[in-house]
Amino acid sequence: DEHVRAKACNLLGNLCRNSKFFYKHIHQHKLVPPLVQCCSDSNASVRTFAVVATGNLGFHGPELYDQLQPAVGALVERLEDTISGKMRANAAGALGNLVRNGGSLVRSVVEKGVVEALLRVSLNDESLDARRISLFSLGNIIKFELGRSAAMRPGLQFVKLLDSMARASSDNRIQRNFVRIQRILGEPPAHVPAPNLGP
């Protein structure tokens, strides 16, 4: 039932809004896989609450990152969700949270085209919040070597496009988030070890 799914996702999001206290319980009861599925639900309310909950499950620590990896693709899809700008903003925030506390998911984020998707939202979305949050999440991703390489590859014009957008914007948060990106680009990137593929 879609109402039950929406309420369950909302509950998970609320439980993890302020701390990671419930992370271990969510892990023990295998609640992440069904939550990730709900990010692609046919019902808009279910998708909305699932995206928020997914972001909250990554915000306070990396403990659930491995289980949240399958959510990356669904969150990229939500960046183009026409239901609301708030949905796209929440998806952008959730993607940033998946690299907020460590780089174990950076490779997945890059391979799923998150840098390009967040750049499109930052430049073009009609929702100011979605643009602001996409910029902040891009800053999280480019702290890591893989994310920075994806952003700075020839042809993307990452800095040039964002610089033009920030100069044209009168919004303080847009400008502040772009300055943060410039500062991060001036710092050495964090290295993510290559995955262990076994013998």
Side-chain angles (χ1 to χ4, degrees):
D1 180 276
E2 60 194 29
H3 299 294
V4 174
R5 295 198 302 277
K7 288 182 180 296
C9 292
N10 188 32
L11 174 62
L12 279 179
N14 286 334
L15 286 174
C16 300
R17 177 178 293 169
N18 297 314
S19 81
K20 61 181 178 181
F21 176 82
F22 287 101
Y23 282 11
K24 59 181 178 290
H25 304 289
I26 289 169
H27 170 70
Q28 289 167 0
H29 293 282
K30 298 179 172 61
L31 299 180
V32 176
L35 174 66
V36 170
Q37 287 184 346
C38 285
C39 288
S40 299
D41 199 273
S42 59
N43 181 270
S45 293
V46 175
R47 295 198 305 275
T48 298
F49 288 125
V51 166
V52 171
T54 299
N56 288 353
L57 265 59
F59 183 82
H60 302 288
E63 291 84 355
L64 298 174
Y65 276 3
D66 286 349
Q67 295 177 64
L68 289 168
Q69 187 273 336
V72 175
L75 292 172
V76 172
E77 292 175 359
R78 298 287 71 77
L79 290 176
E80 299 182 358
D81 202 310
T82 58
I83 194 67
S84 70
K86 187 176 174 103
M87 168 82 81
R88 298 190 296 277
N90 287 335
L95 286 164
N97 288 349
L98 294 183
V99 295
R100 171 185 168 89
N101 299 293
S104 62
L105 294 183
V106 171
R107 189 174 301 275
S108 294
V109 162
V110 168
E111 290 175 351
K112 291 290 186 181
V114 173
V115 170
E116 295 84 352
L118 288 174
L119 181 61
R120 284 194 299 272
V121 175
S122 298
L123 296 172
N124 302 317
D125 203 279
E126 63 188 23
S127 165
L128 183 58
D129 277 342
R131 292 170 59 206
R132 289 168 169 171
I133 295 172
S134 291
L135 268 179
F136 194 88
S137 290
L138 281 169
N140 288 356
I141 294 167
I142 63 170
K143 289 180 180 180
F144 297 94
E145 187 175 7
L146 282 172
R148 188 171 304 184
S149 295
M152 302 304 288
R153 75 176 192 275
L156 191 60
Q157 296 185 309
F158 180 81
V159 175
K160 180 180 179 181
L161 289 171
L162 290 181
D163 180 62
S164 297
M165 182 271 296
R167 288 176 184 275
S169 175
S170 59
D171 183 71
N172 287 335
R173 281 183 60 189
I174 290 281
Q175 294 171 354
R176 196 161 62 238
N177 288 350
F178 177 63
V179 168
R180 174 176 177 261
I181 283 176
Q182 291 178 304
R183 176 179 56 77
I184 291 168
L185 288 173
E187 300 168 352
H191 178 68
V192 179
N196 182 6
L197 301 178

